[in-house]
Amino acid sequence: MNTDHRSGCPINLSLEVFGDRWSLIILRDMIFGGRRHFRELLNGSIEGIASNILADRLKRLMELGMLTKADDPSHKQKAIYSLTEMAITLVPILAHLGAWGRVWLPVSEELSVRAELLEKGGPPLWERFMDDLRHEHLGAPIHHAGPTVRATLQAGYEAVVARKAAAGNTAL
């Protein structure tokens, strides 16, 4: 891994990690979408990442210590990617990015509802989400009862999609 950096500024160093077009999208899909296999990440990306770019970014994220890769016990030819603590602690940053995007960019309601729910839930919800991710990816014990935060966010998304579909059906 290249250890040459433009400066020791924390913003610069962070941009050297996340300044490409795809790294945060891959992490988003793993965190919010629960995608952990190459094909899930490739086919599940609404932004349409190319397979060679995905392979390169997964390799880079592993070199940076944000992901690990292991053989999938359910399928000999598959690998399963896991978030590390370093990647899990991005949840508050992603929540802030989503909140900023909701205010300043032309987002769709269905794709921004997760950001809205994370913003409204604030740090307590982010901590709970990170706890869920530590359990899922690191095997840590879960420290709360009830549905996962991802399931709650997904339910919010599905409710918006259903409401919009119902509104579309009544307009006919």
Side-chain angles (χ1 to χ4, degrees):
M1 162 119 194
N2 183 3
T3 57
D4 295 333
H5 303 289
R6 290 184 296 259
S7 78
C9 168
I11 293 172
N12 168 69
L13 292 170
S14 297
L15 285 174
E16 287 182 14
V17 172
F18 303 115
D20 70 85
R21 182 174 176 169
W22 295 106
S23 294
L24 280 176
I25 299 300
I26 293 165
L27 293 168
R28 176 206 65 189
D29 289 350
M30 291 183 73
I31 290 169
F32 294 99
R35 298 183 185 112
R36 299 188 62 186
H37 296 96
F38 186 90
R39 287 273 169 225
E40 291 174 333
L41 290 161
L42 183 66
N43 298 329
S45 171
I46 61 174
E47 291 82 11
I49 189 169
S51 62
N52 63 320
I53 300 295
L54 176 59
D56 178 69
R57 293 314 186 278
L58 287 169
K59 180 181 175 192
R60 186 163 185 269
L61 290 167
M62 286 187 296
E63 289 171 351
L64 290 165
M66 301 193 78
L67 298 179
T68 59
K69 177 181 172 182
D71 292 334
D72 186 336
S74 70
H75 193 285
K76 290 184 181 194
Q77 294 179 332
K78 279 178 141 180
I80 189 163
Y81 293 92
S82 295
L83 300 166
T84 64
E85 182 65 19
M86 184 183 196
I88 290 168
T89 60
L90 288 170
V91 166
I93 293 166
L94 293 173
H96 283 291
L97 277 173
W100 182 86
R102 284 184 58 248
V103 171
W104 296 106
L105 301 173
V107 300
S108 68
E109 182 183 3
E110 59 273 14
L111 293 178
S112 67
V113 68
R114 291 178 183 99
E116 180 182 1
L117 293 170
L118 278 174
E119 183 181 4
K120 287 179 179 175
L125 186 64
W126 308 341
E127 287 297 328
R128 186 173 167 176
F129 196 10
M130 289 187 289
D131 188 49
D132 291 344
L133 292 169
R134 287 180 187 107
H135 176 70
E136 179 182 350
H137 290 265
L138 305 175
I142 199 82
H143 296 105
H144 61 83
T148 65
V149 172
R150 185 184 301 126
T152 301
L153 298 176
Q154 182 65 23
Y157 167 79
E158 290 171 4
V160 170
V161 170
R163 181 179 47 75
K164 289 181 113 181
N169 288 338
T170 61
L172 297 176

